[in-house]
C-alpha cells in the first residue's frame, strides 16, 4: 500500500500504479511472495477490464488480514463517492504503520514476561531432577506412599494451572 501511495502521489493512475508496484516487487526478487501473486491477479483482472474495487474485494476475501479487508472497504467507498484517493491511501498507510509499531511495542514489552513465565514453569521440574540426581532417597517418600503421590499430583496440577493462567495473562491479541 505504501508503494501504491507513492505512485499515486507521483501522478500515476490507479491501474498504472498497481502495475508499477508489481514491477517493483518483481525486480526486488520476491517472485514467490504471496503478495506478488495477488498483485498479478489484480493486474490480470485490470487487463480484463474488471472493476478494481471488485478485484480488491476478492483479494480481501481470500486474505485473513484485517488491514487488507479494511483497505478494500475504504477503497471502494472512496472510489464510489469520489474522494481524494491519494489522501485516503496515504492516511491508510500511516494508520497501518502506527498499528504495526504498537503491535511491535506490545510484543517487545511482553517478551521478557514470556521468558520469565517459561523459566518459572520449568524451575520445579529442574529442582526435582536435581534433588533426585543428587540425593534420590530424599524424594522417596513422595513417590512411594499414597500421600506423597497425592502431594506430587496436586503440585503438578498447580504447576499446570499456573502455566495456563500465566498464558492467559500474557496473551494480548492485537
Amino acid at each position: 500500500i505504501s508503494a501504491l501511495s507513492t505512485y499515486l502521489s507521483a501522478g500515476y493512475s490507479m491501474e498504472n500504479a498497481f502495475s508499477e508496484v508489481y514491477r517493483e516487487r518483481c525486480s526486488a526478487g520476491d517472485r514467490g511472495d504471496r503478495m506478488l501473486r495477488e498483485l498479478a491477479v489484480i493486474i490480470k483482472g485490470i487487463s480484463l477490464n474488471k472493476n478494481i474495487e471488485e478485484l480488491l474485494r476478492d483479494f480481501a476475501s481470500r486474505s485473513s488480514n484485517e488491514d487488507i479487508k479494511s483497505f478494500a472497504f475504504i477503497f471502494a467507498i472512496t472510489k464510489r463517492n469520489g474522494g481524494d484517493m491519494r489522501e485516503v491511501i496515504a492516511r491508510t498507510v500511516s494508520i497501518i504503520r502506527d498499528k504495526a509499531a504498537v503491535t511491535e511495542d506490545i510484543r517487545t514489552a511482553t517478551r521478557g514476561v514470556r521468558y520469565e513465565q517459561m523459566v518459572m514453569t520449568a524451575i520445579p521440574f529442574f529442582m526435582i531432577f536435581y534433588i533426585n540426581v543428587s540425593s534420590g532417597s530424599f524424594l522417596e517418600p513422595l513417590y512411594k506412599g499414597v500421600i506423597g503421590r497425592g502431594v506430587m499430583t496436586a503440585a503438578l496440577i498447580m504447576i499446570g494451572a499456573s502455566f495456563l493462567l500465566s498464558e492467559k495473562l500474557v496473551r494480548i491479541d492485537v
Side-chain angles (χ1 to χ4, degrees):
I1 297 176
S2 179
L4 187 66
S5 174
T6 302
Y7 285 113
L8 287 174
S9 295
Y12 283 80
S13 69
M14 187 60 66
E15 294 81 5
N16 290 336
F18 272 106
S19 296
E20 289 300 318
V21 169
Y22 179 75
R23 278 192 217 117
E24 181 181 311
R25 293 290 299 253
C26 282
S27 67
D30 296 334
R31 293 243 179 237
D33 188 19
R34 180 175 180 213
M35 185 59 90
L36 190 63
R37 290 190 304 260
E38 294 292 344
L39 279 170
V41 169
I42 291 171
I43 291 170
K44 178 101 170 161
I46 290 171
S47 69
L48 296 172
N49 291 327
K50 287 188 177 178
N51 189 346
I52 294 178
E53 299 166 44
E54 182 181 323
L55 294 168
L56 285 175
R57 201 174 311 117
D58 290 344
F59 171 43
S61 67
R62 288 189 302 271
S63 170
S64 60
N65 189 320
E66 285 300 316
D67 292 333
I68 294 172
K69 291 177 182 178
S70 298
F71 175 71
F73 180 73
I74 291 168
F75 183 90
I77 289 174
T78 305
K79 186 101 169 164
R80 232 179 289 137
N81 295 332
D84 183 8
M85 192 61 73
R86 285 182 291 140
E87 176 63 30
V88 169
I89 291 177
R91 187 174 290 247
T92 303
V93 167
S94 173
I95 290 170
I96 290 172
R97 281 187 182 144
D98 291 346
K99 182 180 174 185
V102 168
T103 301
E104 190 57 36
D105 288 346
I106 290 171
R107 284 190 183 132
T108 302
T110 60
R111 194 167 287 133
V113 176
R114 286 183 186 276
Y115 178 72
E116 187 177 307
Q117 170 206 10
M118 290 186 322
V119 169
M120 293 301 288
T121 301
I123 283 177
F125 297 105
F126 287 124
M127 286 177 58
I128 289 175
F129 175 75
Y130 176 74
I131 292 171
N132 200 22
V133 168
S134 64
S135 58
S137 62
F138 186 73
L139 293 177
E140 203 169 292
L142 294 175
Y143 293 115
K144 299 264 179 172
V146 174
I147 294 175
R149 288 182 182 163
V151 167
M152 291 303 279
T153 302
L156 184 62
I157 290 171
M158 289 190 316
I159 290 170
S162 67
F163 175 76
L164 293 176
L165 179 63
S166 63
E167 272 292 313
K168 187 174 183 178
L169 291 174
V170 172
R171 184 179 306 127
I172 299 173
D173 295 327
V174 180

